[in-house]
mmCIF file with all atom_site columns, all heavy atoms in Angstrom:
data_model
loop_
_atom_site.group_PDB
_atom_site.id
_atom_site.type_symbol
_atom_site.label_atom_id
_atom_site.label_alt_id
_atom_site.label_comp_id
_atom_site.label_asym_id
_atom_site.label_entity_id
_atom_site.label_seq_id
_atom_site.pdbx_PDB_ins_code
_atom_site.Cartn_x
_atom_site.Cartn_y
_atom_site.Cartn_z
_atom_site.occupancy
_atom_site.B_iso_or_equiv
_atom_site.pdbx_formal_charge
_atom_site.auth_seq_id
_atom_site.auth_comp_id
_atom_site.auth_asym_id
_atom_site.auth_atom_id
_atom_site.pdbx_PDB_model_num
ATOM 1  N N   . GLU I 1 56 ? 104.001 90.082 108.401 1.00 0.00 ? 56 GLU I N   1
ATOM 2  C CA  . GLU I 1 56 ? 103.190 90.990 109.228 1.00 0.00 ? 56 GLU I CA  1
ATOM 3  C C   . GLU I 1 56 ? 101.783 90.429 109.280 1.00 0.00 ? 56 GLU I C   1
ATOM 4  O O   . GLU I 1 56 ? 101.380 89.696 108.369 1.00 0.00 ? 56 GLU I O   1
ATOM 5  C CB  . GLU I 1 56 ? 103.104 92.356 108.519 1.00 0.00 ? 56 GLU I CB  1
ATOM 6  C CG  . GLU I 1 56 ? 103.622 93.513 109.288 1.00 0.00 ? 56 GLU I CG  1
ATOM 7  C CD  . GLU I 1 56 ? 103.267 94.833 108.592 1.00 0.00 ? 56 GLU I CD  1
ATOM 8  O OE1 . GLU I 1 56 ? 102.326 94.896 107.779 1.00 0.00 ? 56 GLU I OE1 1
ATOM 9  O OE2 . GLU I 1 56 ? 103.957 95.799 108.876 1.00 0.00 ? 56 GLU I OE2 1
ATOM 10 N N   . ASN I 1 57 ? 101.025 90.799 110.303 1.00 0.00 ? 57 ASN I N   1
ATOM 11 C CA  . ASN I 1 57 ? 99.659  90.283 110.436 1.00 0.00 ? 57 ASN I CA  1
ATOM 12 C C   . ASN I 1 57 ? 98.773  90.707 109.270 1.00 0.00 ? 57 ASN I C   1
ATOM 13 O O   . ASN I 1 57 ? 98.952  91.782 108.700 1.00 0.00 ? 57 ASN I O   1
ATOM 14 C CB  . ASN I 1 57 ? 99.019  90.795 111.733 1.00 0.00 ? 57 ASN I CB  1
ATOM 15 C CG  . ASN I 1 57 ? 99.728  90.236 112.939 1.00 0.00 ? 57 ASN I CG  1
ATOM 16 O OD1 . ASN I 1 57 ? 100.433 89.234 112.831 1.00 0.00 ? 57 ASN I OD1 1
ATOM 17 N ND2 . ASN I 1 57 ? 99.558  90.882 114.073 1.00 0.00 ? 57 ASN I ND2 1
ATOM 18 N N   . SER I 1 58 ? 97.817  89.863 108.951 1.00 0.00 ? 58 SER I N   1
ATOM 19 C CA  . SER I 1 58 ? 96.831  90.183 107.916 1.00 0.00 ? 58 SER I CA  1
ATOM 20 C C   . SER I 1 58 ? 95.646  89.242 108.058 1.00 0.00 ? 58 SER I C   1
ATOM 21 O O   . SER I 1 58 ? 95.822  88.066 108.370 1.00 0.00 ? 58 SER I O   1
ATOM 22 C CB  . SER I 1 58 ? 97.452  89.995 106.529 1.00 0.00 ? 58 SER I CB  1
ATOM 23 O OG  . SER I 1 58 ? 96.467  90.069 105.531 1.00 0.00 ? 58 SER I OG  1
ATOM 24 N N   . THR I 1 59 ? 94.462  89.769 107.827 1.00 0.00 ? 59 THR I N   1
ATOM 25 C CA  . THR I 1 59 ? 93.281  88.905 107.709 1.00 0.00 ? 59 THR I CA  1
ATOM 26 C C   . THR I 1 59 ? 92.789  88.956 106.264 1.00 0.00 ? 59 THR I C   1
ATOM 27 O O   . THR I 1 59 ? 92.861  87.978 105.518 1.00 0.00 ? 59 THR I O   1
ATOM 28 C CB  . THR I 1 59 ? 92.155  89.379 108.657 1.00 0.00 ? 59 THR I CB  1
ATOM 29 O OG1 . THR I 1 59 ? 92.640  89.316 109.989 1.00 0.00 ? 59 THR I OG1 1
ATOM 30 C CG2 . THR I 1 59 ? 90.912  88.489 108.523 1.00 0.00 ? 59 THR I CG2 1
ATOM 31 N N   . ARG I 1 60 ? 92.313  90.155 105.833 1.00 0.00 ? 60 ARG I N   1
ATOM 32 C CA  . ARG I 1 60 ? 91.687  90.310 104.520 1.00 0.00 ? 60 ARG I CA  1
ATOM 33 C C   . ARG I 1 60 ? 92.643  89.983 103.369 1.00 0.00 ? 60 ARG I C   1
ATOM 34 O O   . ARG I 1 60 ? 92.331  89.182 102.485 1.00 0.00 ? 60 ARG I O   1
ATOM 35 C CB  . ARG I 1 60 ? 91.207  91.761 104.313 1.00 0.00 ? 60 ARG I CB  1
ATOM 36 C CG  . ARG I 1 60 ? 89.875  92.073 104.876 1.00 0.00 ? 60 ARG I CG  1
ATOM 37 C CD  . ARG I 1 60 ? 89.877  93.485 105.374 1.00 0.00 ? 60 ARG I CD  1
ATOM 38 N NE  . ARG I 1 60 ? 90.797  93.533 106.499 1.00 0.00 ? 60 ARG I NE  1
ATOM 39 C CZ  . ARG I 1 60 ? 90.415  93.307 107.753 1.00 0.00 ? 60 ARG I CZ  1
ATOM 40 N NH1 . ARG I 1 60 ? 89.162  93.102 108.008 1.00 0.00 ? 60 ARG I NH1 1
ATOM 41 N NH2 . ARG I 1 60 ? 91.283  93.300 108.745 1.00 0.00 ? 60 ARG I NH2 1
ATOM 42 N N   . THR I 1 61 ? 93.824  90.610 103.376 1.00 0.00 ? 61 THR I N   1
ATOM 43 C CA  . THR I 1 61 ? 94.722  90.496 102.220 1.00 0.00 ? 61 THR I CA  1
ATOM 44 C C   . THR I 1 61 ? 95.179  89.051 102.045 1.00 0.00 ? 61 THR I C   1
ATOM 45 O O   . THR I 1 61 ? 95.193  88.518 100.932 1.00 0.00 ? 61 THR I O   1
ATOM 46 C CB  . THR I 1 61 ? 95.930  91.441 102.409 1.00 0.00 ? 61 THR I CB  1
ATOM 47 O OG1 . THR I 1 61 ? 95.432  92.730 102.765 1.00 0.00 ? 61 THR I OG1 1
ATOM 48 C CG2 . THR I 1 61 ? 96.755  91.540 101.161 1.00 0.00 ? 61 THR I CG2 1
ATOM 49 N N   . LYS I 1 62 ? 95.543  88.415 103.147 1.00 0.00 ? 62 LYS I N   1
ATOM 50 C CA  . LYS I 1 62 ? 96.061  87.042 103.079 1.00 0.00 ? 62 LYS I CA  1
ATOM 51 C C   . LYS I 1 62 ? 94.976  86.076 102.573 1.00 0.00 ? 62 LYS I C   1
ATOM 52 O O   . LYS I 1 62 ? 95.208  85.281 101.662 1.00 0.00 ? 62 LYS I O   1
ATOM 53 C CB  . LYS I 1 62 ? 96.556  86.628 104.464 1.00 0.00 ? 62 LYS I CB  1
ATOM 54 C CG  . LYS I 1 62 ? 97.276  85.317 104.526 1.00 0.00 ? 62 LYS I CG  1
ATOM 55 C CD  . LYS I 1 62 ? 97.965  85.192 105.883 1.00 0.00 ? 62 LYS I CD  1
ATOM 56 C CE  . LYS I 1 62 ? 98.740  83.902 106.000 1.00 0.00 ? 62 LYS I CE  1
ATOM 57 N NZ  . LYS I 1 62 ? 97.887  82.727 105.917 1.00 0.00 ? 62 LYS I NZ  1
ATOM 58 N N   . LEU I 1 63 ? 93.789  86.180 103.180 1.00 0.00 ? 63 LEU I N   1
ATOM 59 C CA  . LEU I 1 63 ? 92.705  85.273 102.767 1.00 0.00 ? 63 LEU I CA  1
ATOM 60 C C   . LEU I 1 63 ? 92.275  85.555 101.337 1.00 0.00 ? 63 LEU I C   1
ATOM 61 O O   . LEU I 1 63 ? 91.965  84.638 100.563 1.00 0.00 ? 63 LEU I O   1
ATOM 62 C CB  . LEU I 1 63 ? 91.507  85.422 103.714 1.00 0.00 ? 63 LEU I CB  1
ATOM 63 C CG  . LEU I 1 63 ? 91.732  84.926 105.146 1.00 0.00 ? 63 LEU I CG  1
ATOM 64 C CD1 . LEU I 1 63 ? 90.501  85.198 106.000 1.00 0.00 ? 63 LEU I CD1 1
ATOM 65 C CD2 . LEU I 1 63 ? 92.054  83.427 105.164 1.00 0.00 ? 63 LEU I CD2 1
ATOM 66 N N   . SER I 1 64 ? 92.256  86.834 100.978 1.00 0.00 ? 64 SER I N   1
ATOM 67 C CA  . SER I 1 64 ? 91.813  87.219 99.646  1.00 0.00 ? 64 SER I CA  1
ATOM 68 C C   . SER I 1 64 ? 92.784  86.715 98.580  1.00 0.00 ? 64 SER I C   1
ATOM 69 O O   . SER I 1 64 ? 92.365  86.174 97.541  1.00 0.00 ? 64 SER I O   1
ATOM 70 C CB  . SER I 1 64 ? 91.705  88.748 99.621  1.00 0.00 ? 64 SER I CB  1
ATOM 71 O OG  . SER I 1 64 ? 91.286  89.219 98.388  1.00 0.00 ? 64 SER I OG  1
#
Side-chain angles (χ1 to χ4, degrees):
E56 239 190 21
N57 294 341
S58 170
T59 299
R60 276 145 294 270
T61 311
K62 188 168 181 297
L63 292 177
S64 180

